[in-house]
Amino acid sequence: MALRGWRGTLARVRQEFARRPALDDTLPMGPVDVPFEPFALPTSGQPCVSVVIPTYGKLEYTLACLRSLLRHRPDTSFEVVVVDDASPEDPSPMLAQIAGVRLIRNAANLGFIGSCNAGASVALGEFVLFLNNDTQVTPNWLDGLLKCFSEHADCGIAGSRLIYPDGRLQEAGGLIFADGSCWNCGRFEQRDAPSWQYRREVDYVSGASLLIRRTTFEQVGGFDSRYMPAYYEDADLAFAVRQLGLKVYYEPSSTVIHFEGISAGVDLTTGMKRHQVTNQPKFVSKWSEVLGGQPPAGSPLGEALRWHRKGRVLVVDSMTPDPSRDSGSLRLTAILKLLDESGWSTSFLPDDGRASETEVRALGSLGIEVLRQPWVDNAPQWLREHGTSLHAVMLCRHTVAGQYATLVRKYAPHARLLFDTVDLHYLREQRAAEISGSHAMARQALASRKSELTMIENADVTFVVSPHEQEMLARELPRARVELLTNIHEVHGCGQPHGQRKDLVFIGGFGHPPNSDAVHWIASELLPAIRAIDSHVLVHVLGDVPNDVRAALKQPGLELHGRVADLAPWLDGALASLAPLRFGAGVKGKINMAMSFGLPVIATPTAVEGMRLQDGHDVLVAEDATGFVRAYERLRHDQALWAKLSQHGLDNIRAHFSAKAAAQTLRLVLE
C-alpha cells in the first residue's frame, strides 16, 4: 500500500535497513526447509472456522504454515481449505499425505482474489479465516480473533498482528486517507510497543490473516474482482463491511508471522506490486463519497490513528488495575471500558510503571493503551510530547494526583483535569485514627484532608463514589464541581436457592486497612460468637492474606483462600456475605459484588454508608458481634427474608451501580 508522506517514508527506510538478525529466535517459528513427513491436522467436519489458504508455488512455506496449525491448535473447531492457483508444480501428491486438508486446484490462475473467493465458496464454517501460505501462526492465533467477535457485537472483520520473522512489526491494522492511499500501522516498529498492544477499530486489515463471518462475506459479494489479481481487495472489503454498519478491528492477541519479503514494498513498477498503483484509482472511484470522511493525505499519523475517535484521554493511577485484587481495580477497569465504548482513545499510565503481560492483554482487549516501562520510563517526558493531543486527564487518588496535576496544567493546557478520589482517603483515615486512638494516624488524616481538598479545588471536575461524600464536599467546597461516579457492576443474578446454601464469605484483600481490621474482628469476636450457635459454620476469606498473618489467625472455622480467580462459585454457594467494616469511606465493592450475585449481606453501619441500602429491605445491619449472630440466625431460618434481601439487593445494583449510570456521568463531564 502507498506510503504516507516523505517523513514517514524516511523513517521506514531507516527502520527497514537497520541491521538485525534474519530470524528472531524468541518467536515460536518452525523451520521452512525441512524433509517432508506426513502428518494430520486436527480438523473438524463441522467446523466453526474455515481456514482458507491460497497458494501459488512456495510449497515449502505452505507446509510450514500447515505444521504451525498443528503446533498451535486452537480451542475452536476448524477446517483447512488449501486453494492451489494453478502452480507450475502440482502440490497434490504431497498435500494428499496431510490428513485434514481439503485441496482445491484452480483450472487457471485466478490470483489472490479469485483463489480466496473460490475457497470461501466451499467453506463449511460459520467464519472464514483468510491466511497467506507464507505465514506461521502462534498461540491464540484463532481464538483471539474469535474473542474479538464475541466481545463486540458490531465486529465485521478482525485482523491479526502481523510480524516479520526478524521480530519487527509488519502491520497493526491499516489507515486509509482521503486520496485512497494507505498506511500499514507500525511497519518495522517494535511489535510490543504500547501503540500496538491494544484492540482498536481500524480502516482495514491485511488479507494475510483476516477473519469474517461467511454470511457477511457472501452478503458483500466476496473480494471484488475489479481489483484482480490483488491489492486493495482487503481495503475494499473493509469499506463494504462498514457499509453494513459493522466495524473492522485490529486484534493484537492474535499474532501471525508473515514471511513477506521485507523490502518488497519499495518498487511499485514491477511484479505484483504494480497492481497497487493501478488499483488505487479504482478504489477511489468506487468509494469517493466515503473517502471524504477519511483523514487528508499527509495528516500526522497520531492524528490519523484517532481520526474516528472523539478525542484522547489519559488516565493515571498508582498501579495497573487487577479486578481480582480489589474493588478499586474493578471500578477503574469498568471506567476504562466505558471510555473506549463511548468513543474515546484512552491511554492508561501506572505511576509505578509496571504492568504484566497478562494485565496489558486484559486492558488491551478493552481498547486501552498501557504506557508501561520500558516503553515509557519518564511520565513528564511523555506529557511533554503528547500533552497537546489530550482532551482530558483523569488522575486517580490524591497521592497520585498531587504529583501530576501541575505537569498536566503545564503540558496539556487544553485538557480537562479530572480528579477521581476513589474514596475520600482522609475520611477513612480519620475513622481509623478514632478506632485505634493513634495520634500519628490522626496527623496523617489531617495531611490527607489538606491534600485532597486542595486537589478538589484545583480540578475541573472531581469524582466521588457515594452521595454521602458528594454532600460532604458540597458543604466543604461549595464552588467545586463534584460528580457521582460510583462502582460499576454487572448483574449476575442469583444462582442456588436458599436450601442449598451454607457458610459465610468475606471478600477483600489484606492490603486495605479496613479489610485487615475486619478479618481480625471476624477471627477474634464474630466467628466464635456465630460458631457458638452453629459449630459447623465456616467463614471463607477471599482475598490476599500475608503468610505471617495466616499463622496468627488460624482457628477452626476460618478458611483463608487468598485471591481467587472466580468469585462466582463462592457467592453462588454461600448463605451470606459479611461486611464487618469498622472504618472506611466510599462505596464498598464487597457489598456490591455480593449483591450482584443475589447474595444477602450482613454489614455494619459504616459499611452501608452511602450505599442507598435499608436495614431489613436489602441488607441486614449489625453493630456488634451479638447483632451479627442475630442476623445470621434470621437468614439461616427465614427463607422468605433471605429471598427478599436477595431480590432487593439485585434491584439496588441495577438502580444505582450500573454501567449506564456511569456512562452518563462520563458523557456529562467529557462532552
Side-chain angles (χ1 to χ4, degrees), residues 4 65 80 122 192 236 272 289 351 359 369 453 478 484 522 528 588 609 633 649 666:
R4 190 207 66 85
C65 176
V80 175
V122 301
D192 290 330
D236 179 87
M272 288 290 290
E289 196 171 316
D351 181 49
E359 290 168 338
E369 177 186 31
L453 294 184
L484 188 64
I522 290 172
K588 315 309 180 296
E609 180 184 82
E633 276 285 84
L666 290 170

Side-chain angles (χ1 to χ4, degrees), residues 142-311:
L142 182 53
D143 297 317
L145 294 175
L146 286 169
K147 187 177 180 183
C148 188
F149 275 87
S150 68
E151 293 181 349
H152 292 275
D154 61 1
C155 182
I157 291 175
S160 303
R161 176 175 62 163
L162 301 178
I163 58 176
Y164 289 113
D166 66 7
R168 287 182 294 178
L169 183 65
Q170 182 183 121
E171 181 194 303
L175 296 172
I176 299 178
F177 295 89
D179 65 349
S181 63
C182 303
W183 184 265
N184 304 116
C185 299
R187 193 175 183 91
F188 300 129
E189 297 188 20
Q190 297 184 70
R191 66 181 184 269
D192 290 330
S195 297
W196 321 122
Q197 287 280 74
Y198 64 98
R199 181 188 296 164
R200 68 181 189 284
E201 186 183 353
V202 293
D203 292 333
Y204 76 98
V205 296
S206 168
S209 179
L210 181 157
L211 184 69
I212 186 171
R213 277 193 170 86
R214 180 161 53 90
T215 53
T216 304
F217 189 71
E218 292 168 351
Q219 186 176 357
V220 300
F223 286 119
D224 192 334
S225 60
R226 79 182 67 193
Y227 303 105
M228 289 181 72
Y231 286 103
Y232 270 94
E233 76 286 338
D234 44 16
D236 179 87
L237 181 68
F239 270 48
V241 165
R242 273 202 299 277
Q243 206 169 43
L244 300 178
L246 301 171
K247 294 180 179 179
V248 180
Y249 286 94
Y250 157 67
E251 178 52 64
S253 72
S254 169
T255 297
V256 170
I257 304 163
H258 190 194
F259 286 76
E260 177 193 62
I262 290 179
S263 60
V266 175
D267 189 352
L268 300 176
T269 63
T270 62
M272 288 290 290
K273 280 289 182 181
R274 72 185 188 279
H275 297 292
Q276 182 175 318
V277 176
T278 59
N279 281 346
Q280 182 174 340
K282 299 176 186 177
F283 179 77
V284 172
S285 175
K286 180 178 179 179
W287 297 106
S288 58
E289 196 171 316
V290 179
L291 286 169
Q294 294 297 110
S299 298
L301 284 177
E303 182 180 315
L305 282 168
R306 293 183 289 275
W307 185 259
H308 299 293
R309 307 298 279 175
K310 292 178 180 177

Side-chain angles (χ1 to χ4, degrees), residues 30 40 157 269 309 317 364 378 434 520:
I157 291 175
T269 63
R309 307 298 279 175
D317 199 358
N378 187 315
E434 290 167 2
H520 280 293

Side-chain angles (χ1 to χ4, degrees), residues 641-659:
L641 172 64
W642 189 95
K644 180 177 79 168
L645 294 176
S646 174
Q647 184 57 55
H648 291 167
L650 289 167
D651 294 342
N652 179 270
I653 298 298
R654 292 189 186 98
H656 304 299
F657 302 100
S658 67

Side-chain angles (χ1 to χ4, degrees), residues 23 48 58 149 207 210 227 246 288 322 331 371 455 481 502 540 547 553 569 613 671:
L23 298 177
C48 173
K58 294 186 176 180
F149 275 87
L210 181 157
Y227 303 105
L246 301 171
S288 58
D322 176 357
R331 172 177 173 272
L371 305 174
M455 189 64 220
R481 182 179 176 185
K502 65 176 183 177
H540 301 279
N547 289 333
L553 291 174
L613 296 169
E671 297 181 13

Side-chain angles (χ1 to χ4, degrees), residues 284-363:
V284 172
S285 175
K286 180 178 179 179
W287 297 106
S288 58
E289 196 171 316
V290 179
L291 286 169
Q294 294 297 110
S299 298
L301 284 177
E303 182 180 315
L305 282 168
R306 293 183 289 275
W307 185 259
H308 299 293
R309 307 298 279 175
K310 292 178 180 177
R312 193 175 193 185
V313 176
L314 173 67
V315 178
V316 185
D317 199 358
S318 55
M319 62 181 69
T320 303
D322 176 357
S324 70
R325 182 181 62 224
D326 57 75
S327 172
S329 288
L330 188 67
R331 172 177 173 272
L332 179 57
T333 300
I335 290 171
L336 292 170
K337 181 181 180 183
L338 285 175
L339 287 170
D340 176 70
E341 291 175 346
S342 299
W344 297 98
S345 177
T346 307
S347 300
F348 174 77
L349 192 153
D351 181 49
D352 64 5
R354 295 195 292 270
S356 68
E357 291 297 329
T358 300
E359 290 168 338
V360 170
R361 283 194 298 271
L363 289 183

